[in-house]
Amino acid sequence: MERSRWISMVMAIVAASAMVRPAAAQDAGGPPMGGPGGGPGGPGGPGGQMPNWQDMQKRMDQRTMEQLGVSEEEWAVLKPKIDKVRTLRMQSMTGFGGMGFGAPGGPGGPFGGDRAASPVQQANRELQDALNNKGTPDDVVKAKLAAVRDAKAKAQQDLKAAQDELKDLVTARQEATLVTMGVLE
């Protein structure tokens, strides 16, 4: 697996693992679990509450901005392009037992589960449904498989176009930094 895909997969897994929250105390109307500062019982600590997605996103953006060495004005131009690349990369991914794997807030996700599945995720879900039905004819399975491959090819084209747009806006050093971060290839 190439390095940037591996890095993206690890980032997705970390983000997904951050979605697991101790809800029992909150569901019972009790106070949130964990103490301040991330120590035992704090965010990320044993029994602690995980940080929310928005805080994680802000920290990731701040770190990216610092690593790129850009001003607030430059970041205002680059951030939408970087976000688009990250989103397209996540939307183009499938796996984990044939299920589409999206960013937090995707179908059924804890952070706004109203987002529609990407075309790749939808095609993959339809293929999995066909496979789950033992009576699905081979020609239907082949058609669903072709739809997954077509959706992935289109997603890769969209991703490449978004990456090219971003490359046009950055210096060689910034491009190299984005490559090491898994944003660009």
Side-chain angles (χ1 to χ4, degrees):
M1 181 179 295
E2 65 184 67
R3 179 174 162 72
S4 63
R5 284 211 172 181
W6 184 84
I7 291 170
S8 295
M9 183 70 76
V10 169
M11 287 175 53
I13 291 169
V14 169
S17 67
M19 290 186 271
V20 178
R21 306 188 112 182
Q26 294 171 359
D27 289 343
M33 295 170 56
Q49 182 178 11
M50 297 301 288
N52 70 34
W53 176 252
Q54 289 82 13
D55 289 344
M56 289 174 53
Q57 183 66 44
K58 284 179 187 174
R59 285 192 300 273
M60 188 167 73
D61 286 349
Q62 185 63 37
R63 183 169 181 243
T64 302
M65 188 175 153
E66 289 170 3
Q67 287 182 330
L68 293 175
V70 296
S71 68
E72 292 284 340
E73 294 79 26
E74 293 168 318
W75 182 245
V77 173
L78 291 178
K79 180 178 175 8
K81 305 290 185 188
I82 292 171
D83 287 348
K84 182 176 181 180
V85 169
R86 287 176 173 158
T87 298
L88 288 170
R89 183 178 304 281
M90 290 297 295
Q91 288 178 349
S92 70
M93 295 170 63
T94 59
F96 303 107
M99 298 178 64
F101 184 78
F111 302 111
D114 57 347
R115 286 191 201 165
S118 73
V120 172
Q121 293 164 341
Q122 183 62 37
N124 200 58
R125 187 174 303 124
E126 290 174 9
L127 174 59
Q128 188 63 52
D129 289 345
L131 292 173
N132 289 341
N133 179 355
K134 302 285 187 212
T136 303
D138 283 350
D139 60 329
V140 172
V141 172
K142 286 179 184 178
K144 299 289 184 188
L145 181 57
V148 168
R149 289 180 173 148
D150 290 346
K152 283 185 177 184
K154 172 79 167 88
Q156 289 300 316
Q157 290 172 346
D158 293 347
L159 176 59
K160 176 147 181 22
Q163 288 175 326
D164 289 345
E165 267 184 54
L166 179 56
K167 281 186 219 177
D168 290 343
L169 298 176
V170 296
T171 66
R173 180 172 289 278
Q174 290 168 335
E175 180 179 349
T177 299
L178 290 168
V179 167
T180 65
M181 297 173 75
V183 174
L184 294 177
E185 295 180 16

